[in-house]
Amino acid sequence: MNRLILSLFSGVGAALAIGILSFADSVQSDIVLLMAPFGATAVLVFGVPDSPLAQPKNVILGHLITAFIGVCFVEFIGVTPLSLSIATGLAVSAMLFTKTTHPPAGANPVLIMLAGQSWPFLISPVLLGAVILVVVGKMVSRVRASSMFTENSTK
């Protein structure tokens, strides 16, 4: 596939996914669906969808595991420069140990701890947002793989 077309298609997919999260976030006052690491997740899910780091298991569990660590630190340990560094290190180790490495999720402990988030944050935005990104990513990948977007159809 032409590099320009692939790049544009990836950008449209990322815009669509973040747009869905943003719109749903704006019309629902009791639910949050956006967080900054999702922008970096979109780069992987839409830009390099075949990468091991962009696979559904890695996206969803990577975000969930690291967010859980961040909330545990907020709830049980507290937020200090030392605890921020330890939580981030534990998050990286946990993703590597569980084979759910997703680099954007490495930001979750810092985000969660600095914002003082609690348990509901694991569901919304972390779990719901990650699942929506994965679902939209899979839909876009299917469309991209369809015959109208393959090299064979342009010959």
Side-chain angles (χ1 to χ4, degrees):
M1 184 179 304
N2 179 314
R3 175 182 249 159
L4 175 62
I5 291 171
L6 179 62
S7 299
L8 291 173
F9 206 81
S10 297
V12 168
L16 176 64
I18 296 298
I20 289 169
L21 291 174
S22 179
F23 178 75
D25 189 79
S26 71
V27 298
Q28 296 286 329
S29 63
D30 59 337
I31 192 168
V32 176
L33 290 173
L34 281 175
M35 62 179 193
F38 286 162
T41 293
V43 173
L44 291 172
V45 169
F46 297 98
V48 286
D50 295 329
S51 164
L53 305 174
Q55 298 311 300
K57 174 184 128 180
N58 293 58
V59 173
I60 295 167
L61 291 179
H63 275 297
L64 203 53
I65 289 167
T66 59
F68 178 79
I69 290 168
V71 172
C72 282
F73 270 74
V74 169
E75 295 289 332
F76 302 118
I77 296 171
V79 179
T80 67
L82 181 59
S83 68
L84 281 163
S85 64
I86 292 170
T88 303
L90 282 174
V92 170
S93 294
M95 284 190 292
L96 290 168
F97 180 74
T98 59
K99 297 183 179 178
T100 58
T101 305
H102 183 65
N108 289 346
V110 175
L111 167 75
I112 288 165
M113 291 171 72
L114 291 178
Q117 296 297 335
S118 60
W119 301 113
F121 198 80
L122 295 177
I123 302 300
S124 169
V126 176
L127 180 60
L128 291 175
V131 168
I132 290 168
L133 282 167
V134 165
V135 169
V136 174
K138 287 299 177 189
M139 291 176 7
V140 169
S141 286
R142 284 194 178 131
V143 171
R144 182 168 48 191
S146 72
S147 62
M148 66 184 209
F149 291 106
T150 62
E151 282 187 41
N152 294 336
S153 68
T154 60
K155 291 182 179 180

